[in-house]
Amino acid sequence: MNGNIGYYDRKIECMPRSEMEVLQGERLKEIVKRVYETVPRYRAKMDAIKLKPSDINSLEDISKLPFTEKQDLRDSYPYGMFSAPIKDIVRLHASSATTGKLTVVGYTKKDLDIWAEAVARCLVMTGATPESIVHVAYGYGLFTGGLGMHYGIEKLGATAVPVSSGNTQKQLQLLQDFGPEIICCTPSYAIYLAEAMKEEGVDPASLKLRAGIFGAEPWSEAMRQAIESKLHIKAYDIYGLSEICGPGVACECEMQKGMHINEDHYFPEILDADTLEPIYEDNEEGELVFTTLTKEGIPLIRYRTHDLASVTREKCECGRTLVRLNKISGRTDDMLIIRGVNVFPSQIESVLLKCVGVEPHYHIYVDRVNNLDTLEIHVEMSEKLFSDEAKVVEQLREKLTADIASAIGVHAKIKLVSPRTLPRSEGKAKHTTDYRKGKI
Ligand code: DLL
């Protein structure tokens, strides 16, 4: 046990496993009862398999429950899965869904309080105290990153600097002038900031920065080492998804050996990605599935994240008993994360299908250039457009660029290519080439 480490909530964070499981079992019973009574979709799913809330009596019974998918949220857009009346919802957030519609989540006052507490625990895991100044460069808005970290910082009694994303010059100035001890942003932006400092002649060692809390996209151990050496800080991994709360589902402690899951609120399961049978062995990889145990606004039962990961239940050297999530190693679906924004190829496809002049034959190229993600989409022109004047083609390209940016929230370079030049596939179409793999 490291004597220098504090906890935000020692009782929960260091609770013996047997006690934690009793607590989780009790909460599970309550939440199942709640969704059965208040969310018609859950009642229908349970009725369909003849499952009653009274059949759920302990944690082991969780495997009897049906799964929840992003599609369920889409089908009940915007508020159909809410378990609390709108008058009790005090905040909405949203993230990309597979096509068109967003995945909307709503929080009651209690939900916001618990989320802030979860983030406060994460901050303390990385060594933050009420004296810390924390620079938040995650986006503020419908994305949960900025506001999620912000309220956790305030909950801890530390000082939040709500810079939001973008405007690198200003970020550099505030990092120098305000003297934050911790920075929160995506890991790729951290690398970008380090390069910008080099160009501007800012010596990272002259800053007060000591740690970074990075997440919202996958990153490797090599990337951690690069960030730590370039910025002279410790780089901690934080995981979350808007459907469960946002950042704060899990975070690394100072041991940097896996992210402690706030499992008294967000219960994890690892399932075999093909059979969806539970995997009980530590460090064995599968799909990560969460059940929210205390949420009121939009509780989710066995929500399939489609993230691939493993957990370890062994007690950590920091003293915490909270189960640890190993680094996310990939996804079971085709979701891309580009500059922290979740993008599904099907969102791009639905824009193309509505656009006269192009065919729904496309290929997406993702790369990382100068430490920033780039997105280029090759789209086949129709025969008619191909025979049109260059001006007409350029106008269509500009329109597509704008339509795609508005659909996915990220700028893409659009290249219109000649008819029938993109490869056709006989089986499942492969729409994406990601050159970032293997690059830090
Ligand atoms: O990205 C919430 C968040 C904000 C987490 C800031 C951490 C920091 P969504 O936009 O809903 O929410 O995206 C969730 O992002 O299912 C993962 O695929 C990916 N992701 C999030 N954190 C990590 C991480 C936020 N630390 C999706 N490592 C998730 C790898 C991550 N992937």
Side-chain angles (χ1 to χ4, degrees):
M1 165 73 201
N2 185 328
N4 299 321
I5 295 177
Y7 308 99
Y8 185 80
D9 184 342
R10 177 190 289 266
K11 183 160 177 280
I12 288 286
E13 293 174 64
C14 303
M15 189 175 259
R17 182 120 307 270
S18 55
E19 262 180 63
M20 176 61 78
E21 286 176 2
V22 171
L23 177 70
Q24 289 169 327
E26 282 164 6
R27 289 182 170 176
L28 178 68
K29 266 163 64 176
E30 286 299 309
I31 209 76
V32 170
K33 192 163 166 281
R34 181 183 177 103
V35 296
Y36 189 81
E37 285 167 3
T38 56
V39 184
R41 204 174 178 87
Y42 275 124
R43 178 186 285 258
K45 276 181 184 243
M46 287 174 63
D47 284 349
I49 53 167
K50 298 196 166 38
L51 188 70
K52 292 275 170 256
S54 55
D55 297 324
I56 305 299
N57 291 306
S58 71
L59 210 47
E60 287 79 63
D61 292 331
I62 197 165
S63 56
K64 297 179 183 165
L65 287 160
F67 294 110
T68 312
E69 289 273 8
K70 229 183 206 334
Q71 187 65 30
D72 287 301
L73 293 162
R74 258 199 88 212
D75 291 347
S76 45
Y77 177 87
Y79 307 137
M81 298 278 285
F82 284 18
S83 158
I86 261 310
K87 75 172 174 48
D88 294 338
I89 299 289
V90 294
R91 172 114 56 91
L92 297 175
H93 277 286
S95 76
S96 317
T98 42
T99 42
K101 285 172 184 166
L102 294 167
T103 304
V104 183
V105 287
Y107 305 75
T108 63
K109 275 207 171 97
K110 186 177 160 210
D111 291 337
L112 286 185
D113 213 45
I114 289 177
W115 180 17
E117 196 178 304
V119 173
R121 286 186 200 167
C122 296
L123 288 157
V124 175
M125 286 178 202
T126 69
T129 70
E131 269 91 67
S132 306
I133 300 176
V134 187
H135 180 110
V136 185
Y138 286 119
Y140 279 63
L142 285 178
F143 175 58
T144 51
L147 286 163
M149 293 310 298
H150 185 100
Y151 283 96
I153 296 163
E154 290 190 357
K155 183 85 171 173
L156 175 62
T159 308
V161 189
V163 200
S164 196
S165 52
N167 203 343
T168 303
Q169 293 301 323
K170 193 167 187 181
Q171 307 266 0
L172 291 188
Q173 188 186 340
L174 299 187
L175 285 169
Q176 294 172 86
D177 298 351
F178 290 4
E181 173 195 325
I182 298 174
I183 180 167
C184 309
C185 61
T186 58
S188 49
Y189 192 64
I191 292 271
Y192 183 77
L193 271 177
E195 295 300 317
M197 281 184 199
K198 205 167 160 192
E199 270 169 33
E200 299 291 320
V202 178
D203 177 9
S206 70
L207 303 178
K208 294 216 175 89
L209 269 191
R210 167 191 74 68
I213 306 181
F214 306 121
E217 62 184 14
W219 54 306
S220 59
E221 278 304 324
M223 184 122 164
R224 188 206 302 274
Q225 278 160 25
I227 296 174
E228 291 193 337
S229 71
K230 282 178 196 282
L231 283 177
H232 299 259
I233 60 173
K234 284 273 212 178
Y236 297 101
D237 199 354
I238 187 165
Y239 172 84
L241 60 163
S242 49
E243 295 88 324
I244 301 306
C245 66
V249 172
C251 186
E252 278 181 338
C253 66
E254 287 180 285
M255 302 302 145
Q256 297 176 303
K257 287 183 187 158
M259 298 175 267
H260 290 285
I261 300 177
N262 282 310
E263 56 172 313
D264 52 325
H265 298 300
Y266 318 118
F267 180 74
E269 289 176 272
I270 301 287
L271 304 182
D272 183 296
D274 297 320
T275 65
L276 296 184
E277 288 302 316
I279 294 176
Y280 297 107
E281 288 77 33
D282 276 5
N283 301 314
E284 199 167 308
E285 193 164 277
E287 180 179 333
L288 182 59
V289 168
F290 278 104
T291 297
T292 65
L293 296 177
T294 50
K295 266 174 83 174
E296 296 179 334
I298 178 164
L300 293 178
I301 306 292
R302 306 192 86 199
Y303 183 73
R304 293 185 60 186
T305 66
H306 291 277
D307 287 321
L308 285 169
S310 60
V311 295
T312 168
R313 290 170 187 83
E314 215 177 279
K315 184 175 170 179
C316 181
E317 288 158 58
C318 74
R320 287 179 183 83
T321 49
L322 292 177
V323 61
R324 277 172 286 159
L325 177 65
N326 296 318
K327 261 196 178 308
I328 305 293
S329 68
R331 289 197 52 90
T332 64
D333 63 7
D334 55 1
M335 185 178 95
L336 297 161
I337 305 185
I338 298 161
R339 281 173 249 141
V341 180
N342 304 349
V343 174
F344 290 93
S346 54
Q347 289 174 287
I348 293 167
E349 191 170 297
S350 60
V351 174
L352 300 180
L353 284 167
K354 282 189 221 135
C355 182
V356 179
V358 295
E359 299 294 328
H361 293 299
Y362 61 97
H363 199 87
I364 301 169
Y365 294 92
V366 189
D367 203 351
R368 188 160 283 165
V369 179
N370 294 332
N371 303 304
L372 275 187
D373 294 338
T374 60
L375 176 62
E376 184 168 322
I377 306 169
H378 293 190
V379 185
E380 271 186 22
M381 286 183 266
S382 65
E383 295 285 357
K384 156 103 185 40
L385 182 72
F386 188 53
S387 58
D388 266 332
E389 294 170 41
K391 200 174 93 197
V392 177
V393 174
E394 180 51 22
Q395 273 168 354
L396 190 93
R397 201 191 61 77
E398 281 169 14
K399 181 180 171 340
L400 254 189
T401 307
D403 289 354
I404 288 180
S406 111
I408 63 175
V410 182
H411 174 81
K413 185 171 168 206
I414 308 292
K415 190 168 167 200
L416 294 175
V417 301
S418 312
R420 292 181 310 281
T421 49
L422 292 179
R424 302 291 191 263
S425 94
E426 287 173 4
K428 207 170 140 54
K430 190 180 171 291
H431 286 301
T432 311
T433 305
D434 194 340
Y435 293 115
R436 294 175 302 182
K437 289 187 182 123
K439 292 189 178 177
I440 57 155

